Amino acid sequence: MTLASGTLIVMLLLAVVLLTKPVGLYLADVMQGRPIWALRIGARTEACIYRLAGVDPVIEMGWKKYAIALLVFNSLGAVFVYVLQRLQAWLPLNPQHFANVAPDSAFNTAVSFITNTNWQGYSGESTMSFLTQMAGLAVQNFLSAATGIVVAIALIRAFARHSTATIGNFWVDMTRCTLYVLLPISTLLAIAFVSQGVVQNFSAYKDVATVEALTYQQPKTDGQGAPVNDAAGNPVQETLTTHTQTLPMGPMASQESIKELGTNGGGFLNANSNFLQMLAILLIPAGLTHTFGRLVGDTRQGWAVFAAMMVLFVPLAIMAVYNEQGGNPRVAALGVDQAASDLQSGGNMEGKEARFGIGASAVFATVTTGTSCGAVNSMHDSFTPLGGFVPLFQMQLGEVVFGGVGTGLYSMLIFAIIGVFIAGLMIGRTPEYLGKKIEAFEMKMSSIAILVMPFIVLVGTAAAVSLSDGKAAVANPGAHGFAEILYAFTSAANNNGSAFAGISANSVFYNTALGLVMWIGRYWPIVAVLAIAGSLAAKKRVPVTAGTMPTHGPTFVILLIGTVLLVGALTFVPALALGPIVEHLTLWAH
């Protein structure tokens, strides 16, 4: 690993460590409703929102009512985004006169953005109007992020409370999270992006003259737009030269900021920058670990969870960088001196921007798939087999390194519940976590929360590789093509949104299948987590005794990491062996 790559990892993690506590404290104060400066400034706006919505902020909800409110709210959001796409041709703020989005693509996109996935089977700058981008996609970037955070807060409250039937008020939690956390921080990020030249306007797209002429080939078409074929039935290619380039305009900076802060990932363009965005992606997931410790009354608990996430993240980031900088041995085997020289000095630059290089691209890929962000600054499909293994495996761990906003923390706490249950069985004691007994109901719900993801990933992948519609979208045969399909379903089920770019997923089959997978992968675990929260909140707190297992030290951190790896490895290693692992062995066979 080069010095530049190592420095980038160290500086990023140092910034995350330094910001975890202040961000965590602020989140704790906001979600507890403490009279801090932000809540005092926004008190009138918050009260006005409650009056308009007919919400009594004093009345709290049991877990079932909380879950129903969440599901109804998100479902209405999906309907709104779907209708907006289907009508955008006739609505304002569409200077490019984009057509209405096809039904299957509109369904996929609506589900994608309300589930915090932001899977995009289309090119955003050539499909969605400014109104759709702002009123539909950007709004859901806020609301889907807030949904994940409030579920995590509800679970934290359950550990902190005892002998109560309520876990909070969904509408109050959503309002405060959006108004005092996501809006102000994303505004500051948007201003920073604008200062660095990111576009933020409502102008029509601009055609500009290029410094050099660009020559390219494209399929030739007849007067009716049908492709022209030669005598053998192959498409005829025509060579064109252009001296202009179309530059997309629009409200990009504002959407860019919330897509990273909220670990959404879907953007206006298929382009991203680096350090500031990576920091924004990790900011809230890391901060929530300290919020957890603060609200349960023992900050050591939060730092233990943070440590487990960090220990998982660092080796995976190093592995991705190392394999990308190692390059492709088949290039050196070509016997071309210059190719061999590039291999030794530069590694695998395929699918990467020269301004970022290998190290920054590999680290960004690790950050964006360890969370549920899915934004990319390089093509994961062009990574080496083990370089591409890292983002795929991170998602298959359940995205707990550091995970999405809220989803990372509550998923890690579910693994903690499973871990202490296993430990309790090993020592012959009733399992406990933070003074709450872990019993049959918690384990059933934890099993649902953890196992629904691998179930829909493996079933979906099996269906896709068995059906002609699933195989037709794959451009690469063999192990790599299988990895592309496995990656797509893994990304959808974990609400990540990134892709191995070799798969053409904008089809009726994939739009429908991945849309269903995104919905199930998001809301089944959420309902299970809220059920656990309701059960734990109703329990009395068990006093600490000599036999109580400490959950804030190195032993617990090791147990937690082992549980995460055990579940992920046992579930997905057979599938991974058919994809990136066999591809790596084949690549290095000679």
Side-chain angles (χ1 to χ4, degrees):
M1 186 167 64
T2 64
L3 177 62
S5 299
T7 302
L8 174 62
I9 294 174
V10 171
M11 294 301 293
L12 176 63
L13 297 182
L14 180 61
V16 170
V17 170
L18 292 176
L19 290 172
T20 292
K21 183 175 180 179
V23 171
L25 289 175
Y26 179 71
L27 282 164
D29 289 342
V30 168
M31 301 314 293
Q32 282 184 304
R34 293 180 178 274
I36 59 173
W37 61 271
L39 270 69
R40 289 197 295 269
I41 293 173
R44 291 186 178 180
T45 302
E46 184 181 351
C48 182
I49 292 173
Y50 296 148
R51 283 197 298 271
L52 291 174
V55 172
D56 186 345
V58 177
I59 299 177
E60 292 200 346
M61 302 174 174
W63 79 265
K64 292 180 181 178
K65 191 173 181 180
Y66 200 101
I68 291 172
L70 184 150
L71 293 173
V72 170
F73 181 72
N74 281 261
S75 298
L76 291 175
V79 172
F80 177 78
V81 176
Y82 177 84
V83 172
L84 193 60
Q85 293 174 87
R86 297 289 293 137
L87 300 178
Q88 73 172 12
W90 306 302
L91 296 174
L93 290 176
N94 186 8
Q96 298 306 115
H97 306 291
F98 290 139
N100 295 327
V101 181
D104 58 298
S105 181
F107 164 75
N108 181 278
T109 303
V111 174
S112 177
F113 276 79
I114 68 152
T115 58
N116 200 242
T117 309
N118 292 28
W119 173 276
Q120 293 175 287
Y122 56 89
S123 181
E125 70 272 22
S126 61
T127 306
M128 301 297 181
S129 70
F130 292 169
L131 182 65
T132 302
Q133 293 277 9
M134 293 187 302
L137 309 188
V139 167
Q140 290 305 318
N141 281 347
F142 282 96
L143 300 181
S144 64
T147 298
I149 294 173
V150 302
V151 173
I153 294 297
L155 182 58
I156 295 172
R157 287 197 190 108
F159 283 113
R161 297 176 176 182
H162 62 92
S163 303
T164 180
T166 61
I167 57 173
N169 185 310
F170 171 76
W171 308 111
V172 172
D173 290 344
M174 284 289 291
T175 301
R176 287 178 177 168
C177 182
T178 305
L179 191 61
Y180 302 121
V181 178
L182 298 175
L183 269 174
I185 300 178
S186 64
T187 300
L188 293 175
L189 282 171
I191 293 171
F193 290 150
V194 170
S195 73
Q196 298 302 304
V198 179
V199 176
Q200 181 73 15
N201 58 36
F202 293 108
S203 301
Y205 290 10
K206 299 184 183 300
D207 292 326
V208 298
T210 58
V211 176
E212 297 179 350
L214 174 66
T215 300
Y216 63 98
Q217 286 188 325
Q218 69 177 21
K220 187 176 182 179
T221 57
D222 58 22
Q224 285 72 41
V228 176
N229 297 329
D230 59 18
N234 298 316
V236 175
Q237 298 289 326
E238 59 179 347
T239 302
L240 301 174
T241 300
T242 180
H243 297 271
T244 63
Q245 179 181 357
T246 301
L247 298 181
M249 298 287 113
M252 299 182 194
S254 56
Q255 187 165 341
E256 188 76 10
S257 61
I258 185 57
K259 85 166 191 179
E260 309 295 18
L261 180 68
T263 62
N264 299 279
F268 207 104
L269 303 171
N270 290 325
N272 295 281
S273 57
N274 235 281
F275 189 87
L276 185 58
Q277 289 192 340
M278 287 192 288
L279 184 59
I281 292 169
L282 295 173
L283 190 64
I284 293 179
L288 277 170
T289 62
H290 194 78
T291 302
F292 166 62
R294 181 81 170 184
L295 294 185
V296 299
D298 185 356
T299 55
R300 297 175 300 174
Q301 303 290 340
W303 286 118
V305 173
F306 179 88
M309 294 176 172
M310 186 70 80
V311 170
L312 286 166
F313 176 84
V314 173
L316 289 168
I318 293 173
M319 179 179 177
V321 173
Y322 175 81
N323 282 279
E324 290 308 296
Q325 289 179 337
N328 188 330
R330 297 298 178 91
V331 176
L334 294 175
V336 181
D337 293 339
Q338 184 60 47
S341 175
D342 291 343
L343 172 67
Q344 294 171 3
S345 61
N348 178 33
M349 272 297 293
E350 181 186 340
K352 300 176 180 66
E353 293 190 41
R355 60 180 176 143
F356 298 147
I358 293 172
S361 299
V363 174
F364 196 99
T366 308
V367 169
T368 196
T369 52
T371 64
S372 66
C373 185
V376 297
N377 70 348
S378 58
M379 293 297 100
H380 297 177
D381 189 55
S382 295
F383 278 31
T384 61
L386 291 188
F389 168 90
V390 170
L392 178 56
F393 186 60
Q394 282 203 124
M395 291 187 293
Q396 291 172 344
L397 291 179
E399 289 187 332
V400 293
V401 192
F402 288 72
V405 285
T407 60
L409 179 62
Y410 70 63
S411 297
M412 189 61 101
L413 293 179
I414 296 301
F415 278 114
I417 289 173
I418 294 174
V420 297
F421 182 81
I422 295 172
L425 294 179
M426 292 172 65
I427 62 176
R429 286 182 54 88
T430 301
E432 301 171 13
Y433 187 44
L434 299 178
K436 299 297 180 72
K437 289 185 177 182
I438 306 302
E439 298 174 305
F441 181 79
E442 288 78 28
M443 287 309 300
K444 290 177 182 178
M445 293 299 104
S446 295
S447 298
I448 292 175
I450 294 299
L451 296 179
V452 66
M453 180 272 290
F455 176 78
I456 56 178
V457 168
L458 296 176
V459 170
T461 301
V465 298
S466 301
L467 300 173
S468 58
D469 286 345
K471 292 182 287 187
V474 180
N476 302 290
H480 195 77
F482 174 80
E484 290 173 351
I485 295 176
L486 179 64
Y487 194 107
F489 281 94
T490 300
S491 178
N494 285 282
N495 305 127
N496 183 271
S498 65
F500 267 16
I503 185 170
S504 301
N506 193 11
S507 64
V508 174
F509 173 80
Y510 277 104
N511 281 333
T512 304
L514 295 178
L516 294 173
V517 167
M518 286 185 279
W519 185 278
I520 296 170
R522 174 71 163 181
Y523 296 112
W524 279 30
I526 279 180
V527 172
V529 169
L530 291 176
I532 293 171
S535 176
L536 293 176
K539 293 185 176 184
K540 296 180 180 179
R541 185 171 288 110
V542 179
V544 176
T545 65
T548 301
M549 176 185 173
T551 54
H552 53 72
T555 302
F556 175 74
V557 172
I558 294 171
L559 174 67
L560 183 54
I561 293 172
T563 304
V564 172
L565 292 175
L566 186 66
V567 173
L570 291 179
T571 305
F572 285 107
V573 161
L576 291 169
L578 298 175
I581 294 176
V582 71
E583 190 178 6
H584 172 77
L585 296 175
T586 303
L587 185 68
W588 287 88
H590 303 288

